[in-house]
Amino acid sequence: MDKIKITHPQRNPNFVTGAYSDGVVYNGMLFLSGQASVDFATSKFVLGSIEEETRRTLDNIKAIVETAGGTMDDALKSTVHLKDINDFDKFNAVYATYFTGIKPARTTVQSVLGENIKVEIDIVFKLPNG
């Protein structure tokens, strides 16, 4: 079985973010790279409150998983990096609204993040048709 590259549907083809794919599907699993508060159409990071950045980050994740044929409820495991762990409760309140069923297993840590972003999230999904 071959790997399949998944790209955010609004990604500007000239927006180069590094030597990685937005997502990779392999054997029915979707592995997302760390996503942040990015406007893929304009190729710019969009800074704001922890709630705003969390919402935009999860909207980006949602767009990528839907491009691959899945939904947020197909999430199995996420890793969250917060610039400030004191933002955890505000982050968590927004994060919880993106999953209607069993929430994915999750690790949340405080990290030094680039571009002055407040949150970065990666998630592993089991796609329904995989």
Side-chain angles (χ1 to χ4, degrees):
M1 177 172 272
D2 292 331
K3 295 188 294 184
I4 301 168
K5 179 179 177 177
I6 304 295
T7 302
H8 190 287
Q10 295 175 332
R11 179 181 276 279
N12 180 325
N14 297 319
F15 184 32
V16 178
T17 51
Y20 61 87
S21 301
D22 295 341
V24 173
V25 173
Y26 183 77
N27 200 24
M29 305 289 288
L30 170 62
F31 301 87
L32 261 62
S33 294
Q35 298 298 314
S37 184
V38 173
D39 180 337
F40 279 94
T42 64
S43 308
K44 295 186 180 187
F45 288 90
V46 181
L47 305 181
S49 69
I50 187 63
E51 295 92 344
E52 291 166 335
E53 288 193 30
T54 300
R55 198 168 294 110
R56 181 176 289 275
T57 299
L58 288 165
D59 286 345
N60 284 336
I61 290 169
K62 185 174 185 273
I64 295 167
V65 71
E66 288 176 354
T67 297
T71 70
M72 293 298 281
D73 285 329
D74 297 319
L76 298 177
K77 170 70 171 86
S78 70
T79 304
V80 176
H81 297 268
L82 296 176
K83 180 178 181 179
D84 184 350
I85 200 69
N86 293 312
D87 285 338
F88 179 83
D89 290 340
K90 292 176 185 176
F91 155 80
N92 199 52
V94 174
Y95 178 93
T97 66
Y98 279 78
F99 306 95
T100 59
I102 297 171
K103 310 291 189 262
R106 182 177 82 196
T107 301
T108 304
V109 296
Q110 180 170 302
S111 298
V112 176
L113 300 172
E115 305 294 334
N116 290 316
I117 60 173
K118 293 178 175 63
V119 61
E120 182 173 339
I121 304 170
D122 67 78
I123 302 184
V124 175
F125 295 87
K126 174 67 172 116
L127 298 174
N129 296 324

